[in-house]
């Protein structure tokens, strides 16, 4: 009986039939969304109702409808009206590499359990390092997300900069990092996991344009030192998540080198700009960073979750989790780059390198250039439309594909405008024709758009703004 069940679960013919059907269904889904044959980016359902649906489906649902139901009940990232969070519409071929990864299950930490994936990962990360502008001492690896990559980079930084070995001996010393108050919350979280606490997270205020105010670095550093806090790293955002504004990486690099601390660039979103001739300047100074994070699943058309963590000097990455103190010498002689688990936080991971490698092999790195350039161009085009319409106001002139704006109405004060803008965004969500998100900056409620689909164009933006005006008038 049990053996029969197991046989059924591993039946290759069943896999083939379901697989063919699924590819056909997903192709229809793609056509439907990419070509806007259906008008919604999301069919909004309240969480409790969705929960009830799946409870009921497990009991009484028709198994043959399972994949279709899952597909239908998602946010349609391939629809050009999906302009919300920083999650990409994966290039369809990476759906296939995702399938290979899942079925072959060879992404593991040791070479023997992932020969191609470990070698491919090396090829991919070496290539990204050259694009950053690093020399032959550089290197890196792929890991599960920007959040984990930022934590890993800060652990490497602590090991590299401090004289004491906190990994081995723990510490009672007060340690700290410096980071913009606008940085992604995961940097704060990483610092807390490392035991730095409130006092160890030195938040640098931003300029009126939401960029880390680098004029304050000396002062903040000295202030922390006087409190007995030893700062070992500074993090630049490229860009910060809420506003899409890039920190001045050159100025941060200059400060880091003077203070002899680690310079980390959180380029989870915009690190991919290294591929764009037009927008490479947003990342000026990135080549001086000790470590850089770039997400594949944001600006690089890959499925979640795959992140590159790159080091100017790869030896540092070999020893993040090392128990040996005299590591730099001993390890450099026989670096086993092919056992990626030595350097990653996670043990098992997916064969994530094959997404990067396949896009490079099939389309070339021009694909990344085309995508980043198009998306940033559209972010800026959207901001220009907003600026030309007196019903709307930008939070800040965008530097990327992230645009924050709000609807204006005469005679309303800030709090009334805040609640109006929040209502508009909720109405949009429940309506589903467009998917956008929201954020609060300095007490002001904004709607927030991230252009993630290369087929979203200015006509879509005009339609969205007209829709917002109509909603505002009906509220
Ligand atoms: C998205 C993002 C992160 C988090 O990355 P995940 O891959 O979602 O874990 C970190 N930093 C920035 C700037 C981001 O935009």
């Amino acid at each position: 009986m049990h053996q029969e069940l197991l046989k059924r679960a591993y039946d290759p013919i069943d896999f083939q039939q379901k697989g063919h059907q699924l590819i056909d269904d997903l192709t229809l889904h793609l056509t439907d969304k990419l070509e806007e044959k259906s008008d919604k980016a999301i069919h909004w359902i309240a969480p409790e109702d969705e929960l009830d649906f799946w409870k009921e489906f497990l009991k009484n649902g028709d198994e043959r409808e399972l994949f279709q139901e899952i597909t239908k009940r998602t946010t349609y990232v391939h629809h050009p009206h999906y302009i919300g969070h920083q999650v990409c519409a994966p290039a369809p071929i990476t759906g296939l590499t995702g399938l290979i990864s899942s079925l072959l299950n060879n992404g593991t930490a040791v070479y023997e359990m992932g020969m191609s994936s470990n070698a491919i990962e090396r090829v991919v990360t070496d290539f990204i390092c050259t694009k950053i502008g690093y020399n032959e001492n550089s290197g890196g690896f792929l890991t599960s997300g920007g959040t984990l990559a930022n934590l890993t980079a800060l652990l490497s930084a602590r090991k590299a900069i401090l004289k004491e070995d906190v990994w081995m001996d723990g510490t009672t010393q007060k340690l700290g990092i410096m980071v913009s108050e606008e940085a992604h919350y995961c940097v704060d979280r990483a610092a807390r996991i490392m035991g730095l606490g409130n006092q160890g997270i030195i938040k640098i205020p931003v300029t009126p344009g939401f960029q880390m105010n680098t004029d304050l670095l000396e002062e903040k550093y000295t202030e922390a030192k006087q409190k007995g806090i030893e700062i070992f790293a500074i993090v630049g955002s490229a860009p910060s998540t809420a506003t899409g504004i890039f920190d001045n990486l050159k100025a941060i690099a200059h400060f880091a080198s003077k203070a002899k601390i680690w310079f980390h660039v959180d380029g989870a979103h915009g690190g991919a700009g290294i591929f764009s001739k037009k927008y490479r300047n947003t990342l000026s100074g990135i080549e001086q960073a000790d470590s850089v994070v770039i997400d594949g699943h944001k600006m690089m058309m890959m499925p979640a979750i795959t992140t590159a963590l790159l080091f100017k000097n790869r030896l540092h990455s070999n020893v993040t989790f090392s128990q040996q103190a005299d590591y730099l010498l001993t390890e450099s002689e026989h670096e086993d780059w092919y056992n990626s688990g030595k350097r990653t936080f996670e043990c098992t991971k997916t064969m994530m390198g094959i997404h990067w490698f396949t896009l490079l092999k099939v389309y070339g790195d021009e694909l990344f250039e085309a995508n980043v350039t198009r998306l940033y161009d559209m972010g800026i085009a959207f901001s220009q439309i907003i600026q030309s319409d007196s019903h709307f106001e930008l939070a800040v002139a965008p530097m990327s594909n992230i645009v924050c704006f709000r609807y204006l109405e005469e005679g309303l004060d800030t709090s009334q405008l805040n609640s109006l803008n929040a209502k508009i965004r909720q109405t949009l969500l429940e309506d589903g024709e467009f998917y956008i998100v929201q954020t609060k900056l300095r007490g002001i409620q904004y709607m927030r758009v991230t252009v993630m689909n290369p087929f979203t164009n200015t006509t879509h933006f005009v339609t969205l703004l007209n829709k917002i005006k109509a909603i505002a008038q009906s509220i």
Side-chain angles (χ1 to χ4, degrees):
M1 183 62 193
H2 275 164
Q3 209 56 20
E4 277 310 305
L5 182 60
L6 288 168
K7 264 197 161 153
R8 220 180 91 207
Y10 283 87
D11 181 6
I13 301 299
D14 188 45
F15 169 75
Q16 184 184 37
Q17 282 167 353
K18 288 195 165 76
H20 278 289
Q21 185 61 50
L22 178 63
I23 294 289
D24 287 346
D25 290 349
L26 288 177
T27 303
L28 273 181
H29 173 81
L30 274 181
T31 317
D32 192 64
K33 305 312 168 205
L34 284 169
E35 296 175 10
E36 299 173 64
K37 292 188 170 136
S38 62
D39 63 346
K40 299 221 184 231
I42 181 171
H43 287 102
W44 170 252
I45 293 167
E48 294 306 322
D49 297 337
E50 188 67 15
L51 180 62
D52 286 344
F53 175 86
W54 288 109
K55 279 184 181 162
E56 169 59 23
F57 194 94
L58 189 59
K59 278 197 218 127
N60 300 315
D62 184 341
E63 173 203 313
R64 287 165 303 183
E65 286 164 15
L66 173 59
F67 292 165
Q68 278 171 7
E69 283 298 342
I70 293 172
T71 306
K72 197 166 80 191
R73 292 165 170 273
T74 57
T75 307
Y76 308 137
V77 296
H78 288 92
H79 199 297
H81 287 181
Y82 164 85
I83 39 176
H85 285 292
Q86 299 151 274
V87 174
C88 74
I93 202 170
T94 62
L96 302 180
T97 45
L99 176 63
I100 301 181
S101 171
S102 292
L103 196 76
L104 303 184
N105 218 14
N106 259 234
T108 332
V110 294
Y111 178 67
E112 295 159 31
M113 282 306 294
M115 294 182 292
S116 62
S117 61
N118 275 292
I120 281 172
E121 182 169 317
R122 169 78 192 267
V123 173
V124 165
T125 48
D126 281 357
F127 179 68
I128 303 170
C129 282
T130 63
K131 282 286 171 180
I132 289 175
Y134 282 162
N135 66 21
E136 68 284 355
N137 296 326
S138 61
F141 51 80
L142 300 177
T143 189
S144 303
T147 298
L148 198 57
N150 280 326
L151 172 60
T152 309
L154 289 174
L155 287 168
S156 305
R158 187 176 67 183
K159 188 118 190 184
I161 299 298
L162 298 183
K163 284 187 197 71
E164 54 184 333
D165 187 347
V166 181
W167 187 257
M168 278 302 285
D169 308 323
T171 186
T172 53
Q173 212 195 323
K174 291 193 245 174
L175 301 174
I177 61 163
M178 299 168 82
V179 62
S180 153
E181 61 178 345
E182 281 292 325
H184 192 274
Y185 72 87
C186 73
V187 175
D188 185 277
R189 199 175 270 185
R192 288 174 199 281
I193 290 169
M194 292 169 74
L196 306 190
N198 274 338
Q199 59 169 21
I201 305 164
I202 318 298
K203 291 252 162 94
I204 311 300
V206 291
T207 64
F210 295 97
Q211 192 176 54
M212 177 195 276
N213 186 346
T214 50
D215 291 344
L216 301 176
L217 292 178
E218 288 284 352
E219 179 190 325
K220 290 281 174 186
Y221 182 79
T222 311
E223 205 178 283
K225 277 261 166 191
Q226 278 161 359
K227 288 187 202 151
I229 299 168
E230 181 160 6
I231 292 172
F232 61 89
I234 182 162
V235 179
S237 302
S240 67
T241 305
T243 61
I245 295 299
F246 289 79
D247 286 339
N248 182 340
L249 302 183
K250 261 195 176 150
I252 301 174
H254 180 72
F255 172 79
S257 111
K258 244 179 44 188
K260 296 196 170 62
I261 59 176
W262 188 275
F263 173 31
H264 174 64
V265 171
D266 179 1
H269 182 85
I274 54 172
F275 292 97
S276 167
K277 280 183 215 74
K278 186 168 176 187
Y279 291 105
R280 163 93 206 186
N281 60 353
T282 54
L283 297 166
S284 188
I286 194 174
E287 68 287 344
Q288 295 176 62
D290 294 293
S291 53
V292 172
V293 160
I294 304 175
D295 274 353
H297 51 281
K298 284 189 174 153
M299 295 297 288
M300 300 189 65
M301 317 165 81
M302 293 170 223
I305 190 170
T306 175
T307 298
L309 174 54
L310 301 318
F311 291 81
K312 184 161 69 183
N313 177 352
R314 67 176 177 278
L315 295 183
H316 290 300
S317 77
N318 293 342
V319 297
T320 312
F321 305 109
S322 160
Q323 318 264 323
Q324 277 163 289
D326 57 344
Y327 49 83
L328 281 180
L329 276 178
T330 52
E331 300 274 324
S332 63
E333 285 161 16
H334 34 85
E335 283 175 70
D336 50 348
W337 57 265
Y338 39 82
N339 292 316
S340 70
K342 261 180 99 167
R343 292 169 298 151
T344 57
F345 201 109
E346 75 267 62
C347 175
T348 308
K349 64 185 187 192
T350 65
M351 298 171 74
M352 50 183 77
I354 65 177
H355 306 313
W356 304 72
F357 192 86
T358 301
L359 290 179
L360 280 173
K361 174 68 193 160
V362 176
Y363 306 103
D365 63 329
E366 296 82 0
L367 182 71
F368 301 136
E369 156 136 51
N371 192 54
V372 174
T373 305
R374 165 77 189 179
L375 298 180
Y376 284 16
D377 278 351
M378 281 301 108
I380 287 150
F382 183 39
S383 77
Q384 285 162 351
I385 298 173
I386 289 169
Q387 270 176 314
S388 69
D389 188 330
S390 61
H391 284 102
F392 294 99
E393 177 186 71
L394 287 173
V396 57
M399 294 174 81
S400 66
N401 52 336
I402 299 173
V403 184
C404 300
F405 67 104
R406 65 174 176 160
Y407 179 81
L408 295 175
E409 199 167 290
E410 265 182 50
L412 299 188
D413 63 20
T414 303
S415 109
Q416 287 165 323
L417 279 176
N418 280 357
S419 81
L420 177 59
N421 278 274
K423 270 189 207 139
I424 293 171
R425 151 44 217 187
Q426 186 63 27
T427 309
L428 279 171
L429 175 66
E430 291 174 19
D431 170 84
E433 185 185 348
F434 284 89
Y435 180 71
I436 73 167
V437 295
Q438 60 188 349
T439 190
K440 214 166 195 175
L441 300 167
R442 301 188 177 126
I444 296 178
Q445 182 79 27
Y446 290 100
M447 291 179 269
R448 179 170 167 276
V449 155
T450 312
V451 189
M452 293 304 286
N453 183 321
F455 305 109
T456 304
N457 59 39
T458 49
T459 309
H460 296 121
F461 298 142
V462 172
T463 313
L464 168 66
L465 293 180
N466 286 337
K467 190 170 183 109
I468 290 175
K469 284 186 224 171
I471 292 171
Q473 262 128 50
S474 74
I475 287 176

